[in-house]
Amino acid sequence: WQSALLNYKKNNDILSQGVVLNYIALAYRNQGQYQKALKHLQEALELFKQISARGSIGTTQNNIGFVYN
């Protein structure tokens, strides 16, 4: 995922960056690393807000709730 994230950053593909950050966050969540998960989700949320990706914003907010569950 990290290499994909780097490629998306190089290409300024904001939507794909956010998607990958969500996947990384869920992996951290499953490992019990909640603060790292939240950090990645917050980063994804900010990216999605930049491009007004409403569906992705909602998914990311849901994932933030999933970390707290």
Side-chain angles (χ1 to χ4, degrees), residues 43-65:
E43 188 177 341
L45 190 59
E46 290 305 313
L47 289 171
F48 292 142
K49 286 180 178 179
Q50 287 178 23
I51 59 171
S52 301
R54 291 181 9 189
S56 298
I57 290 169
T59 298
T60 303
Q61 290 172 328
N62 185 62
N63 289 340
I64 290 170

Side-chain angles (χ1 to χ4, degrees), residues 5 8-9 11-23 44 47-57 60:
L5 184 58
Y8 293 137
K9 284 183 178 182
N11 294 319
N12 200 31
D13 185 343
I14 293 174
L15 181 65
S16 295
Q17 287 177 54
V19 170
V20 170
L21 286 166
N22 264 277
Y23 284 125
L47 289 171
F48 292 142
K49 286 180 178 179
Q50 287 178 23
I51 59 171
S52 301
R54 291 181 9 189
S56 298
I57 290 169
T60 303

Side-chain angles (χ1 to χ4, degrees), residues 21-49:
L21 286 166
N22 264 277
Y23 284 125
I24 293 170
L26 293 177
Y28 279 130
R29 189 256 181 215
N30 290 338
Q31 295 172 356
Q33 297 183 48
Y34 304 114
Q35 291 304 315
K36 285 184 179 181
L38 290 171
K39 176 184 160 286
H40 284 79
L41 289 167
Q42 287 296 102
E43 188 177 341
L45 190 59
E46 290 305 313
L47 289 171
F48 292 142
K49 286 180 178 179

